[in-house]
Structures are given as structure tokens and as C-alpha cells.
Amino acid sequence: MGRIPAPRQVTRSAYYFLIVGVVLLSIVLYLTLFVFIYSDAEGNSTFSFGSPLSFCSSNDQHAAELAPTITTTTIIARPTHLATSAVTTTPVEASTNPEPAYCNYCTSTDEVCKRYGSFNLARSRAYEGPNARLKRVLRKVRSGQKIKIGIIGGSVSKGHGLRDHRHNWSHIYAEYIRETFVNSTSADPANVEVELINGSVGATVSQYMETCFREHIPEDVDLVIIELAINDQRLEFLAKGYENLIRAVFALPQQPAIINIQVMALMFPTITMGGDLHTAVAQYYDTPILSLRNVLLPHILRSTQLNSSDNSLENYWFHNDANGVDLRHISTNGHRMLGDLLKSFTSRVACEGWREEQSQHASLSGKDSDVVGGWDWVPYDSDRYEGLTLSLPNPNEGPQVSEYIPRLSLFQKFDHTTVLRPAIPFCRTTTTLSGNGNGLSSPYAHLLEALPAPLSTEGPDAFAMWSHPQNPGKVWLTGRKPGVKAAFKVQTSALGRVRVTYLRSGSYGLGSAWCWVDDNRNAGKRLDGHWQYKDIHVANSEVIAENATPGEHTLTCEIMKETRDPAGGTEFRIVAVDAL
């Protein structure tokens, strides 16, 4: 018979390796479980793609009736007692200064992250960038100094459909700034004053705002938030206007920070709008973008794919009126979300700035810091020797690097020599006039006035402010007889461009005018108030001169005998004159 082999003896070394293996496997399983638990704590499960309504509070109310419109409003978001003198602070050592409360992104105390989830918050940040300008502004408010926030937007930001201006996203944001940094500064809370100037104008595009925004917000703003993504069509000339607007804002005395916000409208022939061209421009100028559409649209598309008759999300996020859902203007819920997205983004930026300050302080004190970022960047010696870091911007060099403004337009051909002049827009407009045409509705506006005779016609036939009795809110500088002239002083700067904005209509009996700059009448342009669209009455801007020398010029417009109006109408209505 064959012999049955005896069992092998288990050695001590085998037992040792078995025990070590079990211990290592336990550690791996523990770490894996910890990572998943930590990820869930960030809030991803609070707003899943499969259940798009799970974050909608049952206590939220739909927007109510259309609110009275105000061209420019000023809200002081501050304590009721008067501010005292500003106090500046310096960072203290990181070891003795715990992180401020706003460094709580998607932790257990982050209520915004609990509401929307980190997944959706990440989607909203269409472009972040290093935010050197915004960090500078937040350092100012943290030190207890007053800041001014200016809003440049359309009817959404003006508050279309809101019953209470406190529901406007801009008011929500201004309140957050004051409340957050009152609690995070060592200065007297009474010093933390946030002035909000809402200079939004309904039915306004970048082509207007690029030169006329200073008629609606003050020049000494610290932060400008731009919302024109759905007002602009996807046209290159409007994208150029948006770029000119950004360059002009950067040229203001305080060198303000800019945040671009993009809302959503679903009533137009295409989903894509001018904001999609704005994105490239904003990135070129290193200005952050927050997108409401990035968050909401995927959920709206999926819900209607699952059930084509489901309009619950449109009803919730868009304004409702007597005509149904208004897919152009967001509701109170939409304003709240936009305010929340701004709050979350700003807290992230403020926290990053605070950590950078701690790192700088530790470095200057010869101490080690746990924070590694751009402000303490030191290239490797090997990179220096190989020439790899010669062109990399080092923010330690100061604002000339961290807040650099490109010397070329995004729409220019690259070269080594061109340096654009600072954009200093000039604008005189009737859109800032009150209904009777005798007063200004914006404290920052300048009255559109014609020069005296002989440059302009005077007397009963002269151009004068006029509004239709049935629509007193819209005012035009109006002339009616052929041969009547109006001349204006304009000031050109970066582009040497002079424009006239005038009303066009197919049913108002409007005529034509010939406009020119200085004595160059033959190089002028004909502007026709009448066009073929019967039911469309809009302001249209026309370039009268380009490449004019920087400085003062005279713009003249004269009503012509010839008219395109079939009934022979010669009335001509001027909305604005501007130069850049």
C-alpha cells in the first residue's frame, strides 16, 4: 500500500507572515471605509442627480407679483450705529490663530453645502482662478474698512418679479459679506460697512454697459459683479463690448475685483447665449465665473427626459406670473441659490487668502508652515538652471504679476509691441433720467445736454427731452423737423471710437439723421430710425467714427429731409452718445 504523506509542520515564520497580512488588510479596509465616510460628509448625497427636487425646501415660496422697478438702489448692509475710523490688522502666527469660521467648506457646519452638495457647488464654479483681486478686497473688509459693491446687470439683477428687494441675490450676498466678516475681524464690528449699489438696467447689453456703466455705479467701487450672460446674444461684437467693459472696470480708481455670474434663460431659440462667449473673455482676464445654468440645467434636462410633461423644476426656479412660467427671469428660489453660490465661493476664496497670509507670516518669521500655495512658491534650482521657470508668473513680485491686465485685446493679433491704452469710457444717456425728463434717477449720472448755438439748434424746434404720456419711464432727446441739429462734446480714450444710440421702430413714424465728428461731415453716417419690424422698438448703437485721436471731440447730428418712414415721419430720438 502506498504511504499517506504526513501533514507539513507549520513553522513560526509562516504564523508571523499570516498575522502581519491580517493586520495590513485590516488597515487597508479601515482607511477605505474612512475615505468613503469622509466623502459622504462633504454633502454629495444631499442633492443627487437621480432626485433633482430633494434639496428644495417645502417652506420656499414662489416669487410674487412684479415689483416696482428702480434704476439704481443703494443698500447699506451694516449695523445701525455709525462706523468709526478704519482699523487695519496684520496676520498673527498660525499656531495661535485657529482657522476662521468661513474655512468650513463642506464640513458639518456648512449649511450651503448641506443644501446643494459639493457636487453641485463644484459645477457652479465655471472658472475660479487665483482671485488675487478678490482676496485683496476681502482683506480690506476683514480689516474693518468699508467696501462698495457695484452690480452691472439686466432685469434679473434689477429684481424682475421680486416682491421684496431683500430677496434679490445681490442683497443676500451683501448681507453675507457683512455678517461673515464682522465675526472674523478683530476690528470694531461697527467699521464693517458694505454699501451695495445695484446699477442694473433691464433689457441692457454689453454694448451699452461698456461705456455707460459709470452712469449707474460709482467710480470708487471695490467689487463689481457682472450679470449679462442672457442679455447678450452669442455675437462677437457683444463679446468685444464685454471685454471693453472688463478693461474699463479694471481702470477704475480702486482697481476693483470682478466676479462674473451667469444665470439661465430657456425661452430663446438656443440654450447657448452671450455668456458662453463671455466665458473665454473672463478667463483671459482671470476673473472668476459662477454659473447657475451649470447647476440647474442638467437636472432640468434629466427630469424632462424621464417625464416629458414634468415642469416642476421650471416652476420652482423660474418666475411665475399671470401668463405662466417666465423662462427668462429666475424666481425667489433662483435668487436664493445664486446668493448661496456666491457665498460658498467667496468663503472658499477668503479662506485660501487667510491661509496664504499665515504662510507668509510664518515664512517671514523663519518658521515652517503647513500651507503650501502660490504665494510661497520657490522654484527648484534644477528648474532655474534648465530655464523652465523664466516665464512662470511669481505672485511674490506683487500686483504687476498677480493682477496683470493683458496688454492686448483677446480679439487682436498677437505681436510684441502693442499696448492698449487704459479704457476710460465717456457716456451721456437718457436712461438715467426720471420719468419727467427733468431729474436724474442715478446719483452717478451726467445729463445728456446739447451744446449751445450755433452748434445746436435752439428755440421751439430744438432737440428736447420727451417721453410718451403712456410710457413716462422712457425718456428720449427728441427732434422733429428736418435741419434741426444737436451737437455734443465727447471724450475718446483707448479706441478713439464715437457712437450714437438711437431708437428704431417700424410704427413710431421715425425719420433719419446724419451724424459726424468734428468738421468731417462727409465721413459721417446716416442713421435710420424706421425699419421693417413693426412691433419691435429698440435702441440701436451705431459707430460714427473710429481711431479718433484721444481727447475731446464734437459730435453733431442733424435731422434729414429724406426718411424711410412710408408716412414721411421725420422724428428722431437719441438715447445716448458715448466714446471710448
Side-chain angles (χ1 to χ4, degrees):
M1 290 180 67
R3 190 175 180 182
I4 299 176
R8 293 184 180 179
Q9 296 295 319
V10 180
T11 64
R12 287 187 177 181
S13 59
Y15 278 120
Y16 172 77
F17 285 115
L18 178 62
I19 292 172
V20 169
V22 170
V23 171
L24 290 175
L25 180 61
S26 300
I27 292 173
V28 171
L29 290 174
Y30 173 79
L31 290 175
T32 303
L33 180 60
F34 175 80
V35 169
F36 280 117
I37 291 174
Y38 179 78
S39 298
D40 288 342
E42 287 194 341
N44 285 319
S45 61
T46 61
F47 182 15
S48 67
F49 195 87
S51 55
L53 276 175
S54 62
F55 66 97
C56 300
S57 170
S58 60
N59 295 324
D60 292 328
Q61 300 295 323
H62 292 302
E65 299 299 322
L66 181 66
T69 56
I70 303 174
T71 301
T72 303
T73 58
T74 301
I75 302 167
I76 306 296
R78 60 181 175 184
T80 54
H81 45 290
L82 295 177
T84 60
S85 58
V87 179
T88 58
T89 61
T90 56
V92 297
E93 293 186 21
S95 60
T96 60
N97 191 12
E99 287 195 332
Y102 51 77
C103 285
N104 69 333
Y105 177 73
C106 282
T107 63
S108 60
T109 60
D110 187 348
E111 296 302 322
V112 173
C113 191
K114 289 179 182 179
R115 177 174 291 161
Y116 306 108
S118 61
F119 178 86
N120 294 288
L121 294 179
R123 269 185 170 172
S124 73
R125 301 187 295 271
Y127 176 71
E128 287 193 81
N131 292 295
R133 294 180 182 87
L134 182 56
K135 290 172 185 174
R136 167 168 52 79
V137 173
L138 294 175
R139 283 196 299 271
K140 180 178 179 179
V141 71
R142 278 171 45 210
S143 72
Q145 300 178 63
K146 173 181 177 177
I147 66 167
K148 292 183 180 182
I149 302 175
I151 311 299
I152 299 174
S155 55
V156 168
S157 293
K158 190 174 181 178
H160 179 92
L162 295 180
R163 179 180 358 188
D164 189 332
H165 76 273
R166 290 174 297 180
H167 296 157
N168 193 306
W169 65 264
S170 60
H171 184 90
I172 294 170
Y173 182 63
E175 284 293 317
Y176 149 82
I177 291 287
R178 188 192 66 78
E179 292 170 1
T180 300
F181 297 106
V182 161
N183 296 327
S184 67
T185 179
S186 60
D188 184 343
N191 293 333
V192 181
E193 180 182 334
V194 180
E195 183 176 356
L196 172 66
I197 304 96
N198 191 345
S200 300
V201 181
T204 300
V205 297
S206 294
Q207 190 182 34
Y208 169 82
M209 282 296 188
E210 65 173 310
T211 50
C212 294
F213 74 91
R214 294 195 306 176
E215 301 295 291
H216 303 280
I217 64 173
E219 294 186 1
D220 61 344
V221 287
D222 299 280
L223 171 62
V224 174
I225 305 179
I226 303 174
E227 179 272 306
L228 293 170
I230 63 170
N231 290 58
D232 283 0
Q233 299 178 57
R234 193 183 171 106
L235 299 170
E236 184 174 297
F237 78 91
L238 291 174
K240 290 180 178 179
Y242 187 77
E243 180 185 42
N244 291 335
L245 171 59
I246 287 180
R247 296 188 72 95
V249 169
F250 280 158
L252 292 176
Q254 297 291 95
Q255 299 176 329
I258 294 175
I259 299 176
N260 305 277
I261 61 171
Q262 300 183 351
V263 296
M264 175 178 62
L266 300 178
M267 62 166 290
F268 298 110
T270 62
I271 292 173
T272 183
M273 292 293 291
D276 297 301
L277 295 184
H278 294 177
T279 297
V281 176
Q283 290 173 334
Y284 182 68
Y285 289 94
D286 201 16
T287 58
I289 309 167
L290 294 181
S291 172
L292 190 69
R293 190 184 74 183
N294 281 6
V295 178
L296 293 180
L297 186 57
H299 300 289
I300 292 176
L301 293 176
R302 184 173 185 271
S303 70
T304 51
Q305 181 178 351
L306 296 174
N307 179 3
S308 60
S309 62
D310 180 13
N311 60 359
S312 58
L313 291 183
E314 292 103 307
N315 284 329
Y316 188 83
W317 293 112
F318 286 99
H319 173 60
N320 287 260
D321 56 26
N323 298 318
V325 181
D326 176 3
L327 293 177
R328 181 167 184 165
H329 299 98
I330 56 176
S331 66
T332 302
N333 302 311
H335 277 268
R336 184 184 72 167
M337 175 183 264
L338 194 52
D340 285 345
L341 297 180
L342 275 163
K343 288 158 60 174
S344 177
F345 167 74
T346 303
S347 289
R348 281 169 56 93
V349 173
C351 181
E352 186 177 87
W354 182 89
R355 289 170 177 168
E356 289 171 350
E357 290 175 25
Q358 308 312 301
S359 176
Q360 284 180 291
H361 184 88
S363 177
L364 292 173
S365 304
K367 300 179 181 180
D368 293 331
S369 172
D370 294 332
V371 180
V372 177
W375 292 95
D376 58 354
W377 174 56
V378 178
Y380 291 116
D381 287 337
S382 59
D383 287 344
R384 287 198 186 94
Y385 297 146
E386 297 172 14
L388 299 178
T389 62
L390 294 178
S391 63
L392 289 179
N394 188 339
N396 289 301
E397 297 178 26
Q400 65 269 27
V401 170
S402 61
E403 300 185 19
Y404 174 69
I405 300 173
R407 61 179 176 83
L408 289 171
S409 164
L410 186 60
F411 297 92
Q412 286 180 299
K413 188 180 187 303
F414 172 77
D415 64 30
H416 284 201
T417 58
T418 301
V419 179
L420 290 177
R421 292 175 177 269
I424 305 174
F426 174 94
C427 176
R428 299 293 183 265
T429 175
T430 64
T431 62
T432 53
L433 291 172
S434 58
N436 57 17
N438 295 325
L440 295 171
S441 59
S442 167
Y444 319 107
H446 305 83
L447 186 64
L448 175 63
E449 292 181 300
L451 293 170
L455 295 174
S456 300
T457 302
E458 292 186 342
D461 296 329
F463 273 88
M465 295 300 174
W466 177 83
S467 61
H468 195 282
Q470 295 180 357
N471 191 4
K474 293 184 178 180
V475 184
W476 301 279
L477 185 64
T478 305
R480 295 178 174 84
K481 293 185 66 173
V484 170
K485 295 188 299 183
F488 313 91
K489 287 293 183 184
V490 296
Q491 188 85 21
T492 59
S493 59
L495 302 182
R497 186 192 70 194
V498 179
R499 295 189 309 187
V500 173
T501 301
Y502 61 104
L503 188 69
R504 302 201 75 180
S505 170
S507 57
Y508 285 179
L510 300 180
S512 302
W514 186 263
C515 298
W516 67 95
V517 173
D518 296 330
D519 297 326
N520 201 358
R521 183 179 182 124
N522 292 336
K525 289 189 177 180
R526 173 172 172 161
L527 311 182
D528 294 312
H530 178 85
W531 64 1
Q532 69 271 29
Y533 307 108
K534 294 290 184 184
D535 299 320
I536 300 179
H537 325 288
V538 298
N540 183 75
S541 297
E542 185 73 30
V543 175
I544 307 303
E546 291 184 287
N547 300 317
T549 57
E552 190 174 84
H553 298 272
T554 301
L555 166 69
T556 306
C557 290
E558 180 178 340
I559 298 178
M560 302 174 63
K561 293 180 180 179
E562 297 82 4
T563 177
R564 297 193 185 279
D565 178 46
T570 58
E571 181 177 300
F572 194 79
R573 304 183 192 178
I574 297 175
V575 178
V577 299
D578 67 69
L580 192 62

